Amino acid sequence: MDLSKEIRRRRTFAVIAHPDGGKTTLTEKLLLFGGAIHVAGAVKSNKIKRGATSDFMEIERQRGISVATSVMGFEYRGLQINILDTPGHEDFAEDTYRTLSAVDSAIVVIDAAKGVESQTRKLMNVCRMRNTPVMAFVNKCDREGKDPFDLISELEKELRIKTIPLTWPVGMGATFKGVYSLYRKKLSLFSSQDKQRVDDKVVEFSDIASPELERYIDRFAAKLREDAELLQGVYPLFDETEYLAGDAAPVFFGSALNNFGVQELLDTFCEIAPCPRPTHTDTRTVDPFEEKLTGFVFKIHANMDPNHRDRLAFLKICSGTFERNKAYLHVRHGKQLRFSSPNAFMAEKKTVIDAAYPGDIVGLHDTGNFKIGDTLTEGEKMNFKGIPSFSPEMFRYIDNADPMKAKQLAKGVDQLMDEGVAQLFTSTLNGRKIIGTVGALQFEVIEYRLEHEYGAKCRWEPIALHKACWIESDNKAQLSDFMLRKHVNMAKDKHGRNVFLADSPYALQMAQEKFPDIKFYFTSET
Ligand code: G4P
């Protein structure tokens, strides 16, 4: 097998959006246009609908589906495309951030009526941290939306990225006629017929200057010519280098639900999206074309079957060839592991594979060896960086509610934290355990899973905290002075790093002002 050929034909990416933006719909349509599925609706929505907070069956159902749709791989035009799914619910945003550490590019979906929303902003910040190349798809053009020029400037301003429109909508809402590709100089007119299948009745029009255009889109023809001219004057030509550096985002318009603009997006994606890129470790940068295998775990699914302690660790291959039954070094444990039935994920099914290449995601059956961020190599001692932890927004003390089950509780909490469900801090003042999450739903998930998977009962105690920030300083004297004065608010995270638990924005601001040599981080990388 020619390793470099395999690497060059891989495209691993995630579709990201604010909830309800159309991520699930677009993902499905990409699979449909890519020929991986034949009728839309086959990929179930993995989102927990709002209001379903206490519906634990829904959470379990979602966990089941999200294993099936975690990675959707398919072959298209000679490329191996791997779409990594991200949870739809905001309370699971942390999971999405981690998944972004395993992709080589991303497609961000924007609702044409709503524009840039809070979650889109946060997700883009994560992409920016890693210079991930991003394309934007402005969705729901079949509904009344914002003016496309306004949307483009909003994207530039809010997402802090240069935008390059590659397609442009003709009309919007009730008058939506199709999209014009500024890149290919081609107008595609659509008719919304069978939304579940690929529509092959696309009318293509290559010369918008021709008076023929009026026949098709009537009064919109003049507007399109005017817009196209304006766009050419205002927006730079598409520069692939800027896109690959994460500095500029090509923008597409369409309607995922109606199959508008999806083909254009997919084809351009295949043409310009990057194959696996170098990845950073604590000792050096790993090039995907290196012969020896390296990879890291970015996601763990545990206990899907309560009768077996089964866990599936998702390994992103960063270099070399992964082989079934070959021994690899688990760097954190310093021990060799072999995998007899590694899984690959194709569209909706898992298959056991013999080999996998950079860009691929392999599912490894695990009996508790892995935690998020773990590195596998052929012997080299290094750890991949770039799996972010964000300062949680909600905090509660966790206590044992059943003295007979203290061990189970400790084990459950430990494993759920390895899985990345939430973050654990231990107060330096009294040794009490504090759980920090990004959303309220996680507390319920933890309580439910502790009980059902570990037979343990927990009790929550509210704690009024504003933020947890990781602290560091070259000024050792100032750091120890700070930790002494603030010992009531100090804690250790699960890696033993120092964390300051600020009671309020004011307390944080005061701390920052009084201790200028200390750096307060709201994100930590493992
Ligand atoms: P998400 O994964 O980003 O959360 O969004 P999802 O694809 O589930 O889409 C959210 C809602 O928006 C869905 O409606 C979906 O049908 C609709 N939608 C997606 N793309 C388009 C589009 O291009 N045009 C229009 N008009 N609507 C679109 P829902 O009513 O919440 O769900 P469902 O009952 O239709 O599944």
Side-chain angles (χ1 to χ4, degrees):
M1 188 60 74
D2 181 347
L3 178 63
S4 73
K5 207 168 124 201
E6 287 302 322
I7 297 171
R8 284 200 180 88
R9 67 182 204 93
R10 270 162 172 78
R11 303 286 180 275
T12 302
F13 73 105
V15 181
I16 50 177
H18 186 86
D20 275 343
K23 176 185 73 71
T24 312
T25 315
L26 180 67
T27 305
E28 227 183 46
K29 295 302 167 80
L30 289 170
L31 294 174
L32 189 68
F33 279 81
I37 56 172
H38 299 291
V39 182
V43 179
K44 302 273 179 308
S45 163
N46 73 356
K47 67 182 176 184
I48 299 169
K49 297 268 182 205
R50 256 178 293 283
T53 326
S54 359
D55 186 349
F56 294 108
M57 288 318 289
E58 183 62 21
I59 292 172
E60 287 300 284
R61 188 190 67 84
Q62 191 262 354
R63 289 214 302 137
I65 290 171
S66 60
V67 170
T69 62
S70 281
V71 185
M72 289 160 280
F74 60 97
E75 292 253 350
Y76 180 67
R77 301 198 170 167
L79 298 176
Q80 169 66 37
I81 307 216
N82 297 318
I83 308 183
L84 306 201
D85 194 27
T86 54
H89 199 289
E90 269 174 281
D91 286 6
F92 293 94
E94 190 97 354
D95 208 351
T96 303
Y97 302 149
R98 284 191 293 260
T99 299
L100 285 176
S101 69
V103 301
D104 298 303
S105 68
I107 296 180
V108 54
V109 187
I110 311 280
D111 183 324
K114 296 192 178 140
V116 174
E117 296 174 84
S118 57
Q119 197 56 23
T120 331
R121 234 172 264 124
K122 283 194 192 165
L123 291 165
M124 271 301 292
N125 285 342
V126 180
C127 291
R128 201 174 304 109
M129 271 162 58
R130 307 170 32 84
N131 301 324
T132 307
V134 170
M135 286 183 186
F137 182 75
V138 179
N139 190 29
K140 307 196 188 181
C141 289
D142 59 317
R143 284 206 196 142
E144 292 312 321
K146 298 186 181 181
D147 175 82
F149 283 102
D150 290 347
L151 274 166
I152 292 283
S153 359
E154 186 177 332
L155 289 179
E156 292 226 334
K157 196 166 140 252
E158 297 277 336
L159 302 181
R160 291 189 275 140
I161 193 160
K162 202 159 130 187
T163 53
I164 307 174
L166 291 190
T167 69
W168 197 249
V170 181
M172 188 121 13
T175 59
F176 184 48
K177 302 280 179 216
V179 289
Y180 176 60
S181 169
L182 299 147
Y183 184 55
R184 296 178 210 279
K185 304 267 177 284
K186 189 179 82 180
L187 173 68
S188 302
L189 296 172
F190 301 91
S191 53
S192 100
Q193 289 154 350
D194 189 349
K195 296 172 187 175
Q196 308 310 322
R197 291 174 194 280
V198 173
D199 185 354
D200 52 9
K201 294 200 186 92
V202 174
V203 180
E204 289 186 354
F205 203 94
S206 53
D207 178 16
I208 58 166
S210 152
E212 271 280 287
L213 187 62
E214 263 78 2
R215 258 191 52 211
Y216 288 99
I217 54 170
D218 190 25
R219 66 194 165 90
F220 293 96
K223 174 84 170 87
L224 173 62
R225 290 187 196 110
E226 197 182 299
D227 283 0
E229 202 181 314
L230 192 62
L231 286 163
Q232 254 168 16
V234 176
Y235 290 95
L237 282 178
F238 173 64
D239 176 349
E240 206 167 316
T241 343
E242 277 185 321
Y243 158 66
L244 293 176
D247 293 333
V251 182
F252 297 81
F253 287 82
S255 162
L257 188 67
N258 292 292
N259 300 350
F260 288 0
V262 178
Q263 185 79 58
E264 191 64 38
L265 175 73
L266 180 62
D267 288 347
T268 314
F269 173 85
C270 291
E271 222 171 277
I272 64 174
C275 65
R277 310 189 310 154
T279 325
H280 305 293
T281 75
D282 54 357
T283 56
R284 65 184 185 89
T285 298
V286 171
D287 190 88
F289 295 90
E290 290 176 19
E291 292 268 305
K292 292 199 168 152
L293 173 103
T294 62
F296 66 91
V297 172
F298 66 95
K299 185 183 181 103
I300 292 175
H301 262 288
N303 302 338
M304 291 312 301
D305 176 355
N307 299 319
H308 303 98
R309 285 253 171 259
D310 63 326
R311 314 213 305 177
L312 197 62
F314 290 76
L315 181 83
K316 159 89 189 268
I317 314 269
C318 298
S319 69
T321 306
F322 177 91
E323 289 171 56
R324 185 154 78 99
N325 283 326
K326 185 166 170 177
Y328 293 114
L329 175 69
H330 182 303
V331 176
R332 184 171 54 90
H333 285 327
K335 66 180 181 193
Q336 300 281 329
L337 297 178
R338 281 171 209 277
F339 304 93
S340 59
S341 52
N343 287 135
F345 306 84
M346 293 304 281
E348 294 135 51
K349 46 183 193 298
K350 278 192 313 198
T351 45
V352 172
I353 43 126
D354 289 319
Y357 307 96
D360 284 343
I361 309 299
V362 181
L364 304 174
H365 292 278
D366 171 41
T367 47
N369 281 317
F370 286 117
K371 66 182 185 187
I372 286 175
D374 277 343
T375 298
L376 281 190
T377 68
E378 290 195 23
E380 188 171 345
K381 292 200 178 83
M382 63 184 182
N383 293 289
F384 281 98
K385 296 200 305 186
I387 300 213
S389 293
F390 287 80
S391 173
E393 323 228 320
M394 296 184 184
F395 302 87
R396 287 185 197 171
Y397 280 121
I398 184 166
D399 290 323
N400 184 13
D402 181 349
M404 307 297 287
K405 300 280 171 64
K407 252 193 185 159
Q408 284 87 333
L409 184 83
K411 181 169 181 194
V413 169
D414 200 38
Q415 292 203 345
L416 292 181
M417 298 308 125
D418 282 358
E419 236 186 90
V421 176
Q423 292 181 55
L424 178 72
F425 303 101
T426 308
S427 162
T428 7
L429 178 70
N430 52 23
R432 284 185 76 182
K433 306 257 182 258
I434 298 164
I435 302 277
T437 68
V438 283
L441 190 53
Q442 261 106 332
F443 292 114
E444 301 186 35
V445 172
I446 292 169
E447 191 174 330
Y448 177 85
R449 291 189 56 193
L450 283 173
E451 194 171 334
H452 288 81
E453 294 167 28
Y454 299 91
K457 271 196 168 19
C458 72
R459 201 173 32 229
W460 301 107
E461 191 185 309
I463 169 169
L465 286 179
H466 164 61
K467 274 232 178 290
C469 24
W470 289 268
I471 54 167
E472 257 176 38
S473 179
D474 292 334
N475 184 339
K476 298 290 169 228
Q478 195 170 95
L479 191 63
S480 47
D481 182 31
F482 177 82
M483 285 169 55
L484 201 65
R485 281 167 192 247
K486 300 282 176 195
H487 74 285
V488 177
N489 292 79
M490 289 307 300
K492 296 267 185 206
D493 74 0
K494 64 176 193 282
H495 304 286
R497 287 176 300 208
N498 291 320
V499 177
F500 171 54
L501 304 171
D503 303 324
S504 63
Y506 177 73
L508 179 60
Q509 194 193 335
M510 290 307 285
Q512 285 168 318
E513 280 170 16
K514 277 197 185 153
F515 297 88
D517 286 354
I518 296 183
K519 292 193 189 98
F520 295 80
Y521 295 103
F522 300 99
T523 317
S524 92
E525 280 200 351
T526 47

